[in-house]
Amino acid sequence: MTVRCDRTPAWQELRKHFEATARQFDLRQAFAADPGRFAHFSQSAPALFADLSKNLIDAKAEELLFALARQCGLQARIDAMFAGERINATEDRAVMHFLLRAGAAPAGSLAGELGQVHTTLDAMLAYADAMRADHTITDVVNIGIGGSDLGPQMAVLALDEFVAPGKRFHFVSNVDGHELAGVLKGLAPEHTLFLIASKTFTTAETMANAHSAKRWFEQSGGTDIARHFAALTTNVEAAREFGISTTFGFWDWVGGRYSLWSAIGLPIALAIGSEGFRALLAGAHAMDEHFRNTPLERNLPVRLGLLDVWYRNFHGFTSRSIAPYHSALKRLPAYLQQLEMESNGKRVDLAGDVLPFGTSPVLWGEPGTNGQHAYFQMLHQGTDVVPLEFIAVRDASHDLAGHHAKLLANALAQAQALMVGKEDAGGHRHFPGNRPSTFFVLEKLTPQALGALIALYEHRVFTSGALWGINSFDQWGVELGKVLARDIEPRLSSGDVAGLDASTAGLLARLRQG
Ligand code: F6P
């Protein structure tokens, strides 16, 4: 049983430590006082290296955070997830995305589920390789939104180096017809494969786009739906009713934002092949094992999750910025937004009681060096402190002379500048410094490394969510707007504003004009 973080003795100790000294913590002094700081606050984990030493944390705070994790029962919560317990209590579901990347069942108990996972995976990968080899298919269009879009889109972009030549990948998510119309413009039905990706197969945006794509396919002379459409869903029945016979299923114990490892990952498998997809899974599995089995002190997702709690609840930081110094990771911030903010953007605990402390920070970011020329001004000299996360890749996958050294130099220099600052009496040119950052190093952006990186973030979100005592696996907050949109849609043609507030009624009238 997890104990909520604020109900532990360690929480009170942390509060005291923060007020007494940690609030004034200075990175420059900490490095000067402790030559071992880098070694202590950095570590290797599967497929990556992480430097946490430029964070506003001292050994005492770290020790108390480990005590907090123990007093909260974090390990029991981790074990409960890996045992397949129904830890998603509000939906009465297990949370087992780790099983999608497991070679063997943990402790035998989930052998049945794992058998289904491998059967589906084998079928999906055989299909992916066959379609990959089919040169008449030049365009793959994934239609899905949220977890059925962001993960595959992010990964296909990130692994561009490994993508089969001769195939283009398109991702349509928005109900805004401009998006689908723009993609369809350049396509021929006989060369196109549509993947309708939806866990529920009921999501309004995806259904609207799927129907329009099917209509376009038929009206443009396409005939073989079975060959040109596949559905990736837990609701195979609904996909069949829609008219799609090629289906790849998954299970209700895979959350949408944790689903790129399932059939939802088919676009990734089509792009990088079955071997690449298995490497992606293997990288994530290695991180699962690290998370499950490593003592807290050297457990990277745990250390990061604890840091997140420290920053959010003691320093009071409300956002975190992600800076991938690799342009292929350009969709990573968007992917992480859903992962973290949909998981931990909660205001009540598991018992339904309103929390007296903050939870998910706002996540945002752009690839470096672009962000440097946009919002880094605020990170260096603004009034708010925003912890920044650098993700650098040691080896480039291009051979353009000089670029990669410039890129890496910029990443290092920004982290350094944030920390050291610069004295200047003039005010405008003064950099206060002492601004925190974390620095990840991947050797190369391979499927394996990407798998490990994503799983690292998943488990870090798990850690902070567990300490906060929330359910990181539901998303009731997305429901109200969906219901209201269904009510408003017919009013846009009828003009009926009865029962609407004055602002919504006024805007609706304006959108109907002309
Ligand atoms: O509305 C939010 C959400 O349910 C996400 O959690 C999910 O990833 C997305 O919609 C798409 O859902 P589906 O895969 O069922 O279409």
Side-chain angles (χ1 to χ4, degrees):
M1 180 62 199
T2 321
V3 178
R4 208 175 78 186
C5 55
D6 59 322
R7 295 175 173 151
T8 61
W11 186 264
Q12 305 311 328
E13 291 298 313
L14 279 160
R15 177 75 48 223
K16 272 193 238 154
H17 176 57
F18 183 74
E19 296 304 339
T21 52
R23 186 195 281 283
Q24 274 85 43
F25 177 85
D26 189 285
L27 279 166
R28 295 150 295 196
Q29 289 166 12
F31 274 101
D34 178 9
R37 182 172 174 85
F38 175 72
H40 179 80
F41 284 103
S42 65
Q43 72 165 93
S44 293
L48 50 88
F49 176 83
D51 175 20
L52 280 64
S53 67
K54 290 202 213 68
N55 280 294
L56 306 181
I57 187 165
D58 59 6
K60 170 112 192 257
E62 195 194 34
E63 200 183 293
L64 288 171
L65 286 164
F66 290 136
L68 180 71
R70 287 196 188 90
Q71 290 169 19
C72 288
L74 174 64
Q75 190 62 51
R77 187 88 179 147
I78 295 173
D79 293 344
M81 174 171 74
F82 282 99
E85 286 178 30
R86 294 174 173 257
I87 61 169
N88 175 358
T90 63
E91 295 181 315
D92 192 24
R93 287 176 183 166
V95 173
M96 301 202 291
H97 44 277
F98 63 87
L99 208 59
L100 300 168
R101 50 230 192 183
S109 57
L110 301 171
E113 286 85 348
L114 189 70
Q116 292 176 23
V117 164
H118 285 170
T119 306
T120 310
L121 178 65
D122 291 346
M124 166 188 137
L125 293 183
Y127 175 82
D129 282 343
M131 293 311 266
R132 217 167 165 246
D134 181 341
H135 298 300
T136 65
I137 298 294
T138 56
D139 291 87
V140 178
V141 183
N142 189 78
I143 293 180
I145 197 165
S148 301
D149 165 67
L150 290 162
Q153 188 184 161
M154 175 272 293
V156 168
L157 260 168
L159 300 173
D160 184 57
E161 185 194 348
F162 304 90
V163 173
K167 290 223 190 317
R168 286 181 295 263
F169 289 83
H170 313 269
F171 291 86
V172 175
S173 53
N174 204 322
V175 73
D176 179 354
H178 294 105
E179 193 171 48
L180 179 61
V183 167
L184 293 177
K185 231 188 284 174
L187 301 183
E190 66 278 22
H191 299 307
T192 303
L193 172 64
F194 290 99
L195 304 176
I196 313 301
S198 175
K199 178 177 169 181
T200 55
F201 224 80
T202 57
T203 303
E205 292 90 333
T206 302
M207 291 301 104
N209 281 323
H211 279 289
S212 295
K214 196 166 160 227
R215 208 172 307 119
W216 169 87
F217 180 79
E218 285 163 348
Q219 286 171 359
S220 321
T223 47
D224 195 350
I225 298 254
R227 177 172 150 69
H228 290 274
F229 280 76
L232 324 173
T233 183
T234 58
N235 192 354
V236 166
E237 203 46 48
R240 295 240 163 85
E241 270 167 41
F242 179 90
I244 299 180
S245 54
T246 310
T247 59
F248 297 96
F250 59 111
W251 305 272
D252 72 356
W253 43 260
V254 182
R257 53 194 174 275
Y258 299 89
S259 64
L260 75 83
W261 323 99
S262 71
I264 294 293
L266 180 57
I268 310 171
L270 270 161
I272 64 172
S274 57
E275 233 176 86
F277 195 78
R278 286 191 194 277
L280 181 84
L281 298 182
H285 178 65
M287 191 59 77
D288 293 339
E289 292 296 295
H290 171 82
F291 182 52
R292 263 182 94 188
N293 301 321
T294 311
L296 303 183
E297 289 76 8
R298 286 277 130 181
N299 189 317
L300 186 57
V302 169
R303 290 179 96 184
L304 291 166
L306 293 177
L307 190 60
D308 294 338
V309 170
W310 177 236
Y311 278 167
R312 186 72 185 91
N313 302 126
F314 294 90
H315 282 277
F317 302 150
T318 54
S319 90
R320 204 169 82 235
S321 188
I322 314 289
Y325 274 68
H326 195 305
S327 62
L329 289 172
K330 62 164 84 93
R331 292 296 287 164
L332 185 68
Y335 172 79
L336 295 179
Q337 279 177 335
Q338 187 196 14
L339 176 62
E340 189 150 343
M341 293 164 77
E342 199 173 69
S343 295
N344 284 350
K346 310 287 163 65
R347 56 182 284 284
V348 297
D349 66 13
L350 281 159
D353 294 330
V354 175
L355 295 169
F357 51 78
T359 56
S360 175
V362 175
L363 247 69
W364 55 283
E366 281 288 322
T369 60
N370 297 11
Q372 291 174 209
H373 298 274
Y375 52 77
F376 270 46
Q377 163 65 39
M378 180 267 199
L379 300 179
H380 287 288
Q381 290 187 314
T383 50
D384 292 304
V385 174
V386 179
L388 187 56
E389 235 151 73
F390 294 89
I391 303 167
V393 181
R394 190 193 63 192
D395 300 342
S397 42
H398 63 79
D399 52 12
L400 297 172
H403 285 256
H404 205 57
K406 284 190 190 5
L407 179 73
L408 297 182
N410 270 277
L412 289 170
Q414 290 296 328
Q416 188 187 23
L418 285 164
M419 174 172 75
V420 298
K422 181 171 165 283
E423 283 299 330
D424 194 295
H428 296 288
R429 289 161 203 251
H430 176 76
F431 289 67
N434 202 34
R435 304 233 155 166
S437 66
T438 298
F439 204 109
F440 295 114
V441 179
L442 274 56
E443 289 179 10
K444 193 168 162 44
L445 191 50
T446 59
Q448 185 128 7
L450 183 69
L453 181 70
I454 301 166
L456 171 69
Y457 274 94
E458 288 178 349
H459 296 322
R460 162 198 201 155
V461 167
F462 180 98
T463 298
S464 52
L467 264 69
W468 286 328
I470 60 182
N471 182 357
S472 299
F473 301 101
D474 62 10
Q475 56 284 317
W476 298 107
V478 302
E479 295 304 326
L480 178 59
K482 293 184 190 174
V483 173
L484 296 183
R486 281 199 290 275
D487 169 64
I488 288 175
E489 191 180 332
R491 294 172 185 263
L492 276 163
S493 42
S494 71
D496 174 18
V497 294
L500 293 181
D501 61 89
S503 169
T504 308
L507 291 170
L508 190 136
R510 194 151 276 271
L511 284 165
R512 278 170 46 80
Q513 276 167 15

